[in-house]
Amino acid sequence: MEIKIRELCKSYGKKKALQNFDATFENGIYGILGPNGAGKSTLMNILTDNLLRDSGRILCGGKDILKWGAAYRKSLGYMPQQQQLYETFTVTEFLAYMGTLKGMKKKEIRARMELLFPLLNLDKVKRKKIKELSGGMKQRVLLLQALLNDPKILILDEPTVGLDPNQIIEIRSLIKSLGEKHTIILSSHILSE
Ligand code: ADP
């Protein structure tokens, strides 16, 4: 799915967070690299339709995302930077809840979970409470919820932050394997990423 961003601007008061930002994303993996405060989260929030731009255009398949509305949001998967999970939920309960919020049917949620648990190596922990999981497992749960609705566009905000080297390798290779079929936009402040 192609996303074209043209002359995107966003200010907070006098602070210009984005100024005439242009980019074109197609299928594949794109990194948004910049130091803290560069405007990455602002861009992600506008791309996920959580924040309104001041001016500019964001076209998805030639039509502005604001015109697509809910249909655009349904084609998105978003993995936030903060691990704000419901610690007392089990992994399965959390994912069922997220799927429901995404407007998915129970049967569909179950089928997607069955497909994705082995892919993300989460089969063994699906009945565990979120609070019992390691940081790396929580990241994988967050990635799984982003993939639940079979999105065409995946937006990942600093997906490897807080992970140990082995977990970073794991998450990177997973994201790489998803890049062929999805448009993946990931932010990072780490150059090697
Ligand atoms: P990044 O994600 O690259 O760290 P942000 O998009 O969070 O950057 O921030 C870009 C700039 O906008 C920063 O200078 C930040 O302080 C400012 N900013 C972000 N959100 C707000 C807000 N809600 N109100 C005021 N300033 C903000």
Side-chain angles (χ1 to χ4, degrees):
M1 181 76 82
E2 189 192 63
I3 300 183
K4 259 190 200 163
I5 304 177
R6 294 291 176 269
E7 297 172 351
L8 184 62
C9 298
K10 175 72 192 174
S11 296
Y12 302 100
K14 281 188 186 151
K15 175 88 209 172
K16 287 180 175 158
L18 295 171
Q19 208 176 352
N20 293 323
F21 181 83
D22 287 334
T24 303
F25 305 114
E26 291 166 3
N27 270 6
I29 305 173
Y30 296 86
I32 309 287
L33 181 71
N36 288 329
K40 303 181 297 295
S41 296
T42 301
L43 177 66
M44 297 256 163
N45 283 328
I46 293 173
L47 273 177
T48 51
D49 202 8
N50 270 314
L51 184 70
L52 268 183
R53 63 193 104 141
D54 295 338
S55 59
R57 281 166 297 147
I58 304 176
L59 307 175
C60 181
K63 184 164 133 184
D64 201 290
I65 61 166
L66 297 178
K67 292 214 172 100
W68 280 113
Y72 168 73
R73 292 192 294 275
K74 274 201 165 174
S75 69
L76 289 183
Y78 175 56
M79 179 181 175
Q81 191 182 132
Q82 303 292 337
Q83 291 188 342
Q84 279 162 343
L85 296 158
Y86 297 96
E87 299 278 312
T88 57
F89 281 32
T90 65
V91 171
T92 304
E93 282 165 352
F94 170 71
L95 293 168
Y97 177 64
M98 291 306 291
T100 307
L101 289 182
K102 286 169 192 254
M104 296 171 68
K105 296 203 173 80
K106 265 189 191 165
K107 217 171 148 186
E108 202 186 341
I109 297 171
R110 218 173 300 134
R112 286 293 291 168
M113 276 202 243
E114 264 167 41
L115 185 85
L116 291 168
F117 274 136
L119 187 72
L120 284 130
N121 210 0
L122 284 169
D123 252 333
K124 284 194 191 127
V125 299
K126 62 187 176 193
R127 285 187 194 90
K128 284 205 169 171
K129 290 203 166 146
I130 304 263
K131 64 180 170 193
E132 296 172 64
L133 305 184
S134 68
M137 285 174 189
K138 284 183 184 173
Q139 285 297 84
R140 294 207 297 270
V141 171
L142 278 174
L143 186 54
L144 198 156
Q145 72 72 31
L147 290 167
L148 209 54
N149 54 324
D150 199 11
K152 297 195 169 52
I153 304 156
L154 255 184
I155 299 182
L156 314 174
D157 199 353
E158 307 245 6
T160 60
V161 128
L163 299 184
D164 69 34
N166 282 332
Q167 293 167 340
I168 290 178
I169 292 169
E170 227 175 78
I171 286 277
R172 278 186 188 160
S173 70
L174 198 62
I175 292 170
K176 211 168 159 186
S177 68
L178 296 167
E180 282 175 23
K181 287 191 186 153
H182 301 76
T183 300
I184 303 182
I185 303 168
L186 66 89
S187 76
S188 181
H189 62 276
I190 307 159
L191 188 58
S192 62
E193 200 87 320

